[in-house]
């Protein structure tokens, strides 16, 4: 675990926050730069999820105290399934057999994880199968999709996953003005209602804008939380320092749950009311 790069450290920092605050999402899409170098970090995350010792710090892993971690290392843990493309595609049949496999309750722990490598290789028919999993997640089953580029993954899948990136996205410091304006409301979400019309007219006029905006906010919140305990160079986000980590993690969950609904033909204003109310409720 020596010589971690900044993004790798950021990743670990974030997964530890997720575990410590018990805010595990049911589906993650993780962007990897160098697969062989970074897959071990993904496995650390998986171990934290599955370890029977309720570990929430990476340095406490590999305790050699529990079977789960050992079996994961030996690649023979039944509650971790890894799906890889056969040839150039991930086939529907592979996902159906995963579904069969996970049909029965786990005999070992409460959680099960499946990893899909090269999620961009899901073809439309296999994507449909996986979407059913992602839309109706079964308690305790956690999906981890891997890709080298989130934009090559089908939009319907992307919108249902929390995206964590191990790529060096140096665009962090440059946040769109509208996004920044909206983010400031997250420190005082009740103002979302008092300034409703103004926000609607100027920064969130339609579904498409909203989708992009909330995607961007999710990513910024994740980055912010991942770097929070380190030297904070994100002084443009200092207004978030007064907001509790748990609340910010709840915001991420809310955004994750609400964005997919925008894909359906729902009333956009009702959708806004709903997401605003949820922000207010957690605060
Ligand atoms: Zn363990």
């Amino acid at each position: 675990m020596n010589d971690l790069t900044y993004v790798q450290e950021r990743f670990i920092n974030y997964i530890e926050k997720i575990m410590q605050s018990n805010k595990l999402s049911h589906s993650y899409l993780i962007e990897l730069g160098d697969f062989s170098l970074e897959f071990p970090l993904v496995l650390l995350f998986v171990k934290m999820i599955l370890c029977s010792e309720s570990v929430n710090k990476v340095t406490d892993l590999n305790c050699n105290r529990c079977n789960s971690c050992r079996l994961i290392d030996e690649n023979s843990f039944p509650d971790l399934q890894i799906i890889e493309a056969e040839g150039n595609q991930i086939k529907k049949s592979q996902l159906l057999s995963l579904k069969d496999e996970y049909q029965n309750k786990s005999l070992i722990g409460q959680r099960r994880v499946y990893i899909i490598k090269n999620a961009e290789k899901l073809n439309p028919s296999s994507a449909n199968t996986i979407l059913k999993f992602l839309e109706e997640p079964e308690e305790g089953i956690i999906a981890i999709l891997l890709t080298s580029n989130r934009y090559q993954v089908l939009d319907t899948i992307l919108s249902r996953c929390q995206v964590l990136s191990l790529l060096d996205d140096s665009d962090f410091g440059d946040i769109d003005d509208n996004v920044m304006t909206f983010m400031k409301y997250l420190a005082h979400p009740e103002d979302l209602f008092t300034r409703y019309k103004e926000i609607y007219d100027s920064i969130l006029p339609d579904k498409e804008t909203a989708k992009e905006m909330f995607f961007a906010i999710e990513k910024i919140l994740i980055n912010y939380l991942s770097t929070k305990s380190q030297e904070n160079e994100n002084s443009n986000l200092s207004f978030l320092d007064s907001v509790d980590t748990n609340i910010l993690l709840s915001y991420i969950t809310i955004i994750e749950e609400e964005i997919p609904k925008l894909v359906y033909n729902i009333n956009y204003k009702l959708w806004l009311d709903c997401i605003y109310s949820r922000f207010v409720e957690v605060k």
Side-chain angles (χ1 to χ4, degrees), residues 127-181:
N128 257 329
T129 310
I130 203 71
L131 272 178
K132 292 211 179 79
F133 288 171
L134 298 176
E135 279 165 4
E136 299 152 23
E138 236 184 276
E139 189 62 38
I141 297 186
I142 289 133
I144 298 183
L145 282 59
L146 306 177
T147 184
S148 55
N149 183 349
R150 77 181 80 175
Y151 301 107
Q152 284 172 3
V153 176
L154 292 169
D155 200 37
T156 42
I157 292 177
L158 181 66
S159 65
R160 283 166 180 79
C161 295
Q162 183 173 130
V163 181
L164 303 179
S165 188
L166 281 156
L167 303 182
D168 199 354
D169 41 1
S170 43
D171 59 348
F172 183 48
D174 189 23
I175 300 171
D176 179 86
D177 285 349
N178 283 346
V179 172
M180 194 56 123
T181 306

Side-chain angles (χ1 to χ4, degrees), residues 199-259:
I199 297 170
Y200 182 86
D201 290 341
S202 61
I203 56 179
L204 282 175
D206 54 58
K207 276 187 196 181
E208 265 317 300
T209 316
K211 201 171 124 189
E212 274 173 35
M213 169 93 81
F214 284 106
F215 260 137
I217 292 171
E218 184 189 7
K219 187 177 154 202
I220 293 165
L221 287 176
I222 289 172
N223 283 354
Y224 170 78
L225 286 171
S226 319
T227 51
K228 203 178 172 187
S229 61
Q230 298 159 12
E231 279 305 298
N232 215 336
E233 77 265 32
N234 315 309
S235 54
N236 52 349
L237 293 175
S238 54
F239 61 90
L240 289 176
D241 294 349
S242 63
V243 186
D244 186 78
T245 301
N246 272 313
I247 290 175
L248 294 176
L249 284 164
S250 299
Y251 287 163
I252 294 172
T253 310
I254 292 169
I255 292 172
E256 258 168 48
E257 288 172 359
E258 295 300 324
I259 286 182

Side-chain angles (χ1 to χ4, degrees), residues 32-46:
L32 305 178
D34 183 325
F35 186 87
S36 55
L37 221 60
E38 290 163 355
F39 188 64
L41 299 181
V42 174
L43 282 182
L44 289 178
F45 186 28
V46 172

Side-chain angles (χ1 to χ4, degrees), residues 40-154:
L41 299 181
V42 174
L43 282 182
L44 289 178
F45 186 28
V46 172
K47 280 185 189 170
M48 286 212 278
I49 295 170
L50 297 173
C51 179
S52 46
E53 299 280 316
S54 312
V55 164
N56 58 26
K57 281 191 85 65
V58 163
T59 45
D60 294 341
L61 277 173
N62 292 328
C63 45
N64 296 322
R65 277 178 305 218
C66 83
N67 265 336
S68 316
C69 292
R70 190 174 52 80
L71 291 173
I72 292 169
D73 282 334
E74 291 167 2
N75 203 8
S76 56
F77 190 56
D79 290 339
L80 171 65
Q81 298 287 323
I82 300 180
I83 292 176
E84 276 178 83
E86 287 173 4
N88 233 348
Q89 291 197 326
I90 295 166
K91 300 195 176 94
K92 188 176 174 176
S93 57
Q94 294 175 270
L95 300 168
L96 290 174
S97 58
L98 167 80
K99 200 177 177 182
D100 270 357
E101 188 90 35
Y102 278 4
Q103 202 94 58
N104 305 308
K105 284 270 173 252
S106 163
L107 297 173
I108 301 174
Q110 291 164 331
R111 289 182 182 143
R112 281 172 291 176
V113 174
Y114 63 92
I115 295 178
I116 298 181
K117 292 184 182 175
N118 296 108
E120 70 280 356
K121 289 186 178 170
L122 288 161
N123 63 33
S125 111
S126 54
N128 257 329
T129 310
I130 203 71
L131 272 178
K132 292 211 179 79
F133 288 171
L134 298 176
E135 279 165 4
E136 299 152 23
E138 236 184 276
E139 189 62 38
I141 297 186
I142 289 133
I144 298 183
L145 282 59
L146 306 177
T147 184
S148 55
N149 183 349
R150 77 181 80 175
Y151 301 107
Q152 284 172 3
V153 176
L154 292 169

